């Protein structure tokens, strides 16, 4: 087996080197002719060509990225060949590591009180995954990255909401025959959130104690955005999972003699985090600063593994650069850059928005709380200088990144601070909290969880108010063999098409994209006419329904 893998590795290097030579000699046009001749009629090549045309990706840039990809492949597999005996042992060690993690998780569930604190967040996650209507991002993910051929999600990047690894996994769960199409996507978030609780508990238990780990993970698991993105088919639950694994790895690097296996786990989780979404850069930089703070004597090893992370991440993303273009990842028009002076001007809004959404309470209360935590830590600065630095790295430093980039990110971009700051807060008050016995700590944790879930239930309708109109539209109006005319600011047609497909309905909707006022008095060929009140100039017909959406109220006229 070992010899066969080594031979295959050599063959892969040889083939990649041969292709690199051929494509380099042939030049851009010659390479295009070769590819067109041998694979031009395949669905894969046709898809690539259509995406390049759609994005107007410069062909020469695509050609250069193709060459770079081959060079990186040769470099990576040459390193593997050079260190073959060492690398060959890694999969076995990794399997053993995963087995140990599973056994530890099982033991934690069976022999500790972890089972009590995971019940509520898991139940809430499952309930809301059924209850919440599909978001626009979920529908776009399905239409653009799941419904087409599976490889399209690996090369097509029209929006930042293509969380590539998540989209790829959705293509796998899409094969489940008996499950609703939306649940096939959301089951991934439920599962990854569940796994994150086990790994997080094991990690925090090593930093603190079992009872304080119960408190920390109990609070974290019921924070607002954590709960929301454990129910919605987006990549943020995976983002959190990989951040927790990378944090655990960083802790082991610092506390367990800088071992290669922990560096490999850090590299593995970081690459998967980046492949889920590029904004993993934020926690990645923060974790590297933490490692450097405690482990500065091994900076050369840190640089080596960071280079490995960059190399593998580049190999994974170059197909996107090659087909969709470099700009779609680094300067996507749906996430436009703004001036740094504007970022500074809006920084207070960003900070307040981030803390409010992540923790689920009024931003002023959240900020006052963390100021008190910081103040308490500063009073004990002689004993806790590194803790002060950690609070700065995870509580303040993340907001420097948007300033450097010149962007105004969504609050969910910083979802990882909910885990980091919860752990650091419990760590800050470790001496005080340690005086409380296990059973009272568990009781306090459960009370806090119930309170946070009640807060979530109270606030989630406002947070998802844009979906309520879509849900009302679906439940009230969607019927088989019906036709719909829509003129509305909200993209009701997007939801309509998705919900019709979920139900296998034979119906269609036409969206009028004109911003001109319109009257239902002149539209008779559709079973339903939906018009925003701002555009509605109907006089004779009376609206059967008036459905509120995120931006307006939509009047609905039913054919008599």
């Amino acid at each position: 087996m070992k010899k066969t893998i080594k031979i295959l590795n050599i063959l892969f290097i040889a083939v990649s080197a041969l292709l690199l030579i051929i494509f380099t000699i042939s030049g851009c046009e010659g390479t295009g002719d070769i590819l067109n001749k041998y694979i031009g009629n395949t669905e894969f090549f046709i898809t690539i060509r259509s995406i390049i045309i759609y994005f107007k990706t410069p062909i020469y840039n695509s050609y250069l990225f193709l060459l770079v990809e081959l060079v990186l492949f040769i470099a990576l597999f040459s390193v593997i060949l050079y260190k073959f005996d060492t690398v060959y042992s890694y999969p076995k060690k990794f399997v053993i590591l995963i087995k140990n993690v599973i056994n530890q998780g099982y033991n934690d569930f069976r022999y500790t009180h972890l089972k009590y604190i995971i019940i509520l967040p898991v139940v809430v996650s499952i309930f809301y995954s059924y209850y919440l209507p599909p978001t626009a991002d979920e529908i776009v993910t399905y239409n653009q990255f799941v419904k087409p051929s599976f490889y399209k999600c690996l090369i097509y990047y029209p929006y930042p909401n293509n969380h590539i690894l998540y989209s790829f996994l959705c293509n796998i769960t899409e094969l489940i025959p008996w499950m609703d199409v939306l649940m096939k996507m959301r089951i991934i978030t439920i599962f990854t959130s569940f796994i994150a609780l086990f790994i997080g508990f094991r990690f925090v238990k090593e930093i603190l104690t079992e009872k304080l780990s119960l408190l920390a993970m109990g609070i974290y698991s019921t924070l607002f955005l954590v709960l929301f993105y454990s129910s919605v088919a987006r990549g943020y639950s995976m983002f959190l999972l990989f951040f927790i694994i990378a944090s655990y790895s960083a802790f082991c690097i610092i506390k367990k003699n800088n071992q290669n296996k922990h560096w490999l786990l850090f590299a593995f989780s970081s690459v998967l985090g980046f492949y889920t979404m590029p904004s993993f850069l934020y926690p990645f930089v923060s974790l590297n600063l933490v490692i450097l703070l405690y482990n500065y004597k091994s900076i050369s090893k840190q640089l080596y593994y960071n280079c490995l992370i960059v190399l593998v991440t580049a190999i994974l993303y170059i197909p996107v650069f090659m087909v969709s273009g470099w700009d779609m990842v680094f300067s996507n028009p749906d996430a436009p850059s703004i001036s740094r002076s504007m970022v500074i001007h809006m920084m207070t809004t960003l900070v307040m928005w981030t803390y409010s959404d992540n923790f689920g309470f009024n931003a002023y209360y959240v900020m006052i709380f963390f100021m008190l935590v910081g103040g308490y830590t500063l009073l004990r600065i002689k004993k806790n200088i590194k803790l002060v630095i950690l609070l700065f790295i995870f509580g303040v430093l993340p907001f420097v990144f948007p300033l450097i980039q010149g962007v105004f990110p969504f609050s969910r971009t910083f979802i990882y601070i909910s885990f980091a700051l919860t752990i650091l807060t419990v760590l800050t008050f470790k001496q005080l909290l340690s005086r409380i016995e296990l059973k009272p700590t568990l009781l306090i944790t459960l009370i806090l969880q119930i309170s946070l879930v009640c807060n979530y239930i109270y606030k989630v309708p406002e947070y998802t108010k844009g979906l309520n109109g879509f849900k009302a539209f679906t439940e009230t109006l969607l019927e088989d063999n019906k036709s719909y005319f829509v003129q509305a600011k909200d993209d009701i047609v997007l939801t309509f098409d998705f919900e019709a497909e979920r139900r296998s309905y034979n119906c269609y909707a036409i969206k009028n994209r004109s911003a001109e006022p319109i009257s239902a008095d002149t539209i008779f060929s559709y079973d339903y006419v939906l018009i925003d009140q701002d555009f509605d100039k109907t006089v004779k017909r009376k609206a059967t329904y008036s459905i509120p959406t995120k931006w307006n109220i939509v009047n609905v006229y039913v054919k008599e």
Side-chain angles (χ1 to χ4, degrees):
M1 181 67 177
K2 182 177 178 181
K3 187 176 180 180
T4 303
I5 294 173
K6 194 169 186 178
I7 292 171
L8 289 173
N9 193 92
I10 294 170
L11 285 173
F12 189 87
I13 294 172
V15 171
S16 298
L18 180 61
L19 289 174
L20 179 63
I21 292 169
I22 292 172
F23 292 158
T24 303
I25 294 173
S26 301
C28 181
E29 292 185 9
T31 299
D33 292 338
I34 292 171
L35 294 175
N36 194 54
K37 179 179 179 181
Y38 289 101
I39 61 172
N41 293 325
T42 62
E43 181 187 350
F44 176 69
F45 190 79
I46 292 170
T47 301
I48 289 176
R49 186 164 49 201
S50 65
I51 295 172
I52 289 175
I53 293 171
Y54 176 77
F55 285 124
K56 299 179 181 178
T57 307
I59 298 299
Y60 189 72
N61 288 1
S62 300
Y63 167 69
L64 290 178
F65 278 123
L66 176 60
L67 298 184
V68 171
E69 182 81 327
L70 289 170
V71 170
L72 292 180
F73 268 127
I74 293 168
L76 178 63
F77 282 89
S78 295
V79 171
I80 292 173
L81 185 63
Y82 179 69
K83 298 278 189 179
F84 188 79
D85 290 335
T86 305
V87 174
Y88 184 77
S89 65
Y90 286 156
K92 184 178 180 180
K93 290 179 180 178
F94 187 73
V95 170
I96 293 172
L97 181 63
I98 296 297
K99 184 180 178 181
N100 290 338
V101 169
I102 293 172
N103 288 335
Q104 290 169 358
Y106 172 76
N107 290 333
D108 284 337
F109 182 79
R110 185 175 180 182
Y111 299 113
T112 72
H113 293 80
L114 173 64
K115 61 177 77 69
Y116 301 114
I117 69 163
I118 67 173
I119 293 173
L120 197 55
V122 169
V123 168
V124 172
S125 174
I126 294 172
F127 172 77
Y128 275 94
S129 67
Y130 279 96
Y131 174 77
L132 286 175
T135 65
D137 282 340
E138 289 176 300
I139 296 171
V140 169
T141 297
Y142 175 75
N143 289 337
Q144 301 278 13
F145 314 123
V146 179
K147 189 176 177 181
S149 301
F150 79 94
Y151 53 78
K152 189 174 182 181
C153 69
L154 307 178
I155 57 176
Y156 184 49
Y157 203 88
Y159 321 103
N161 65 358
N162 180 12
H163 301 161
I164 299 177
L165 180 58
Y166 184 82
S167 299
F168 177 74
L169 292 178
C170 285
N171 278 272
I172 297 174
T173 56
E174 175 65 14
L175 301 175
I176 301 173
W178 46 267
M179 192 178 289
D180 172 73
V181 62
L182 185 59
M183 283 307 301
K184 289 177 184 179
M185 297 168 63
R186 288 182 171 178
I187 194 172
I188 299 172
T189 62
I190 298 171
F191 179 75
T192 51
S193 299
F194 185 69
I195 297 300
L197 292 180
F198 280 89
I199 296 175
F201 177 78
R202 167 60 55 174
F203 167 36
V204 179
K205 192 166 74 167
E206 291 197 28
I207 299 177
L208 302 166
T209 61
E210 180 185 324
K211 65 180 180 181
L212 294 185
S213 181
L214 289 171
L215 176 63
M217 293 307 295
I219 294 171
Y220 158 77
S221 64
T222 45
L223 292 176
F224 186 85
L225 278 191
V226 175
L227 278 179
F228 183 76
Y229 283 107
S230 69
S231 306
V232 176
R234 307 297 297 123
Y236 292 98
S237 62
M238 290 179 63
F239 182 98
L240 282 170
L241 173 62
F242 297 134
F243 171 66
I244 290 172
I245 295 173
S247 300
Y248 195 0
S249 306
F251 171 79
C252 292
I253 289 166
I254 294 165
K255 295 294 184 180
K256 298 182 180 180
N257 301 321
N258 201 34
Q259 295 180 58
N260 284 332
K261 67 178 182 179
H262 297 133
W263 272 112
L264 282 170
L265 188 59
F266 178 77
F268 179 75
S269 55
S270 297
V271 168
L272 294 182
F274 277 116
Y275 203 46
T276 301
M277 57 185 80
S279 57
F280 195 81
L281 176 67
Y282 293 8
F284 177 74
V285 172
S286 296
L287 288 174
N288 266 287
L289 288 174
V290 173
I291 295 171
L292 186 62
L293 176 67
Y294 287 92
N295 202 48
Y296 58 88
K297 292 182 180 179
S298 298
I299 190 172
S300 58
K301 181 177 276 191
Q302 184 172 357
L303 288 172
Y304 171 79
Y305 277 98
N306 276 309
C307 288
L308 180 63
I309 291 167
V310 171
L311 173 63
V312 178
T313 303
I315 288 173
L316 292 172
Y317 267 97
I318 280 178
V320 177
F321 302 156
M322 188 168 29
V323 178
S324 297
W326 170 281
D327 290 345
M328 296 308 293
V329 177
F330 292 100
S331 56
N332 196 290
D334 285 318
S337 297
I338 58 177
S339 67
R340 287 175 178 80
S341 60
M342 182 62 73
V343 176
I344 294 172
H345 178 72
M346 301 174 68
M347 186 58 71
T348 302
T349 301
L350 176 61
V351 172
M352 302 295 271
W353 182 32
T354 297
Y355 276 93
S356 175
D357 279 1
N358 273 280
F359 293 94
F361 293 97
N362 183 284
Y364 292 102
Y365 300 150
V366 177
M367 293 301 296
I368 290 170
F369 173 79
F370 281 110
M371 285 178 184
L372 291 173
V373 172
Y376 178 81
T377 310
L378 286 170
L379 289 174
R380 299 168 56 85
I381 195 165
K382 291 183 180 179
K383 294 182 179 180
N384 295 293
I385 181 63
K386 288 187 176 178
L387 183 55
V388 173
I389 296 172
L390 289 176
L391 284 168
F392 174 81
I393 288 174
F394 289 105
V396 178
L397 187 63
F399 301 102
V400 176
F401 300 131
L403 180 62
I404 295 171
Q405 292 179 290
V407 296
F408 189 85
F410 290 104
S411 59
R412 56 182 177 262
T413 305
F414 304 97
I415 193 171
Y416 66 95
I417 71 172
S418 58
F419 177 79
L421 292 182
T422 300
I423 307 310
L424 291 174
T425 300
V426 175
L427 184 60
T428 300
F429 298 101
K430 180 181 178 180
Q431 289 185 345
L432 296 175
L433 295 171
S434 296
R435 298 173 187 173
I436 307 173
E437 297 295 328
L438 176 59
K439 287 186 178 179
T441 300
L442 180 60
L443 180 61
I444 291 169
T445 302
L446 293 174
I447 292 171
L448 287 171
Q449 281 193 307
I450 293 169
S451 301
L452 288 168
V453 167
C454 289
N455 179 64
Y456 177 77
I457 293 170
Y458 173 74
K459 292 196 171 181
V460 78
E462 175 65 21
Y463 192 76
T464 60
K465 65 180 180 180
L467 306 179
N468 296 332
F470 298 151
K471 186 175 182 180
F473 166 73
T474 301
E475 294 178 348
T476 307
L477 308 179
L478 192 60
E479 296 182 67
D480 198 7
N481 298 313
K482 296 293 183 180
S483 58
Y484 301 79
F485 178 93
V486 181
Q487 176 149 337
K489 294 177 183 177
D490 286 298
D491 203 349
I492 292 176
V493 175
L494 185 70
T495 306
F496 169 87
D497 290 337
F498 180 74
E499 293 289 358
E501 184 171 341
R502 284 179 73 189
R503 292 161 173 74
S504 300
Y505 282 178
N506 181 28
C507 50
Y508 68 94
I510 301 296
K511 181 174 182 179
N512 182 22
R513 300 190 180 277
S514 170
E516 297 296 323
I518 195 168
S519 170
D521 295 328
T522 60
I523 305 171
F524 301 103
S525 56
Y526 297 91
D527 295 300
Y528 293 91
V529 177
L530 291 81
I531 307 175
D532 260 354
Q533 282 190 349
D534 290 348
F535 298 118
D536 195 358
K537 297 300 179 182
T538 305
V539 176
K540 297 179 181 179
R541 297 176 68 179
K542 184 177 180 181
T544 308
Y545 307 102
S546 292
I547 299 177
T549 64
K550 183 176 182 179
W551 304 110
N552 207 345
I553 295 176
V554 175
N555 292 331
V556 181
Y557 300 90
V558 182
K559 187 176 183 180
E560 297 178 358

